[in-house]
Amino acid sequence: MITSILKKIPATILPSDTIKIAITGLSRAGKTLFITSLIDQLLHQNRLSSIRASTSPFKVTIKPPLSNIKRFDYYTLIDTLKNGHIWPDSTDEISHIVLKFESKSRFSFLGTSSFTIELIDYPGEWLLDLTLLRLNYKEWSKKSIAWLRSIDDIKAKEYLQTIDSLNNNTFDKEVQKRLYTQYKELLIHLKSQHYSQITPGRFVLPADLANDPILHFAPISKGSDKLEAIFKAKYKKYVKEVVKEIHLEHFKGFSRQVVLVDVLEALQSGYECYSDMKAGIKEMLQPYEHKNKNFFSQWLSPSIKSVLFVATKADHVTAHQHTHFSMLLNDLVNEIRHDMDISHIQTQTQLIASIKSTVTIEKEYKGEKLAFVRGILEEDSKLHDLYPGEMPSKFPSQKEWNAEMFGYQNFLPPQKTYGDNEALEHINMDKVIQKLIGDLL
Ligand code: GDP
């Protein structure tokens, strides 16, 4: 058994009526900032006027940490944002945080009621690993190699050349390590090139397993039977001890899920990356498909009823473009619903900025009034007015796609002083709260 700080959560520690909400999305999609802002909005509520107008007053507190699972470090993250004025490092492993809600009914005879919500920060890369539960080593190798062959990338081609040149005598420890290292570096490279369908997840987000020999395997198509047997045994161990005992354990019992999507990254990375991202999201949703119900029901209770798809970083474009931005997200989710057998799952969509770092301004340019985003660019820490171009209302076809038309820049968080009870400025986080837990408030 591998050592890990992430152990099973004993059912007795949290009240049985705790609502579990998983926040998922591939790394850099904005999970860390989304959860931080969500908690901050709920604690302070000064930027939730629409919710306060329609619900009874409620108070939210953070419950103390549990000894056996990493708590989402809200306090450090919020301090970095509000006092350090920089983006905090992204979280790279599963963590959770429990919030207690107490509300006073408008009718005094009904008294107060309370409930708890557990937010789970779940890396999408680890979620993709759940697909390994259905595949043995040979099947996974075949699938991974077919995917690599479909990609136009020099490093992918190099890896394929390496495994094509394996022969019957190559199975010693050196070869194992070389293959594992080359495959791991390839996955890290493909991730940086915005590809999504990457497995095993721990090769790119290892958390506490970075140097664990449990990761020493790679997909091969030929070579010695001995090498294949060694990789097969390691793969089996990874699926049992990492995917089943850690990834799956934390996936149980969610009733709601948020999937964060970086639509802007998809637009500027090109058609191949967009298709790959869509395929990656579909893989993440596989456990919910009707046709897979029997297979996954041996581990998961069929508790998930709704998935909220959230497009992040709305502040990178002007407010005028938000309608098209939302349409792109809807376009993506409609395609996913069309391709998958998930009609029993309610899906909703929302465009947001967890932390609003820009303002929209209008300026004359060559006699025309144009909308610009004004903010401090991360690149040089200076204030700029940028014209982010026009967003399409639908994702372009492969033929029409021109990634060079889209280029979005990173802004720093607002450089301002916050009052004691002042929440982060956001776009549409109140709508997220309404859609996610409005029925409980
Ligand atoms: P994670 O890997 O999914 O946890 O992603 P993070 O939450 O750490 O976000 C990754 C990066 O995206 C951040 O460092 C920011 O540069 C950017 N980002 C995420 N959310 C926002 C947002 O609401 N506004 C802006 N301007 N940038 C954001």
Side-chain angles (χ1 to χ4, degrees), residues 27-33 87 90 313 315-316 353-355 357:
S27 45
R28 308 293 295 167
K31 284 183 304 301
T32 310
L33 295 173
W87 299 118
S90 303
K313 310 178 191 178
D315 58 333
H316 283 213
S354 307
I355 294 130
S357 308

Side-chain angles (χ1 to χ4, degrees), residues 25-35 87-92 121 260 262 312-316 352-358 378 409-413 425:
L26 296 166
S27 45
R28 308 293 295 167
K31 284 183 304 301
T32 310
L33 295 173
F34 175 84
I35 301 173
W87 299 118
D89 288 342
S90 303
T91 55
D92 63 352
D121 176 7
L260 298 184
D262 195 340
T312 52
K313 310 178 191 178
D315 58 333
H316 283 213
I352 62 136
S354 307
I355 294 130
K356 185 171 179 281
S357 308
T358 66
E378 203 168 36
Q409 307 253 22
N410 284 341
F411 295 94
L412 284 173
E425 268 186 74

Side-chain angles (χ1 to χ4, degrees), residues 55-67:
T55 60
S56 303
F58 63 93
K59 185 177 144 209
V60 177
T61 43
I62 297 178
K63 300 262 281 178
L66 302 176
S67 59

Side-chain angles (χ1 to χ4, degrees), residues 75-110:
Y75 294 110
T76 305
L77 293 161
I78 203 70
D79 183 57
T80 308
L81 284 164
K82 287 187 176 170
N83 299 321
H85 306 300
I86 51 167
W87 299 118
D89 288 342
S90 303
T91 55
D92 63 352
E93 59 180 305
I94 293 175
S95 62
H96 88 149
I97 191 158
V98 184
L99 304 176
K100 182 171 180 192
F101 287 67
E102 288 168 286
S103 69
K104 238 193 171 89
S105 171
R106 289 205 167 114
F107 309 103
S108 57
F109 60 92
L110 288 176

Side-chain angles (χ1 to χ4, degrees), residues 195-197 266 270-282 332 398 401:
Y195 286 96
S196 306
Q197 293 190 74
Y271 180 82
E272 214 181 43
C273 289
Y274 163 71
S275 312
D276 199 58
M277 180 182 87
K278 200 167 64 179
I281 295 175
K282 284 203 279 196
L332 174 73
Q398 183 168 12
W401 203 300

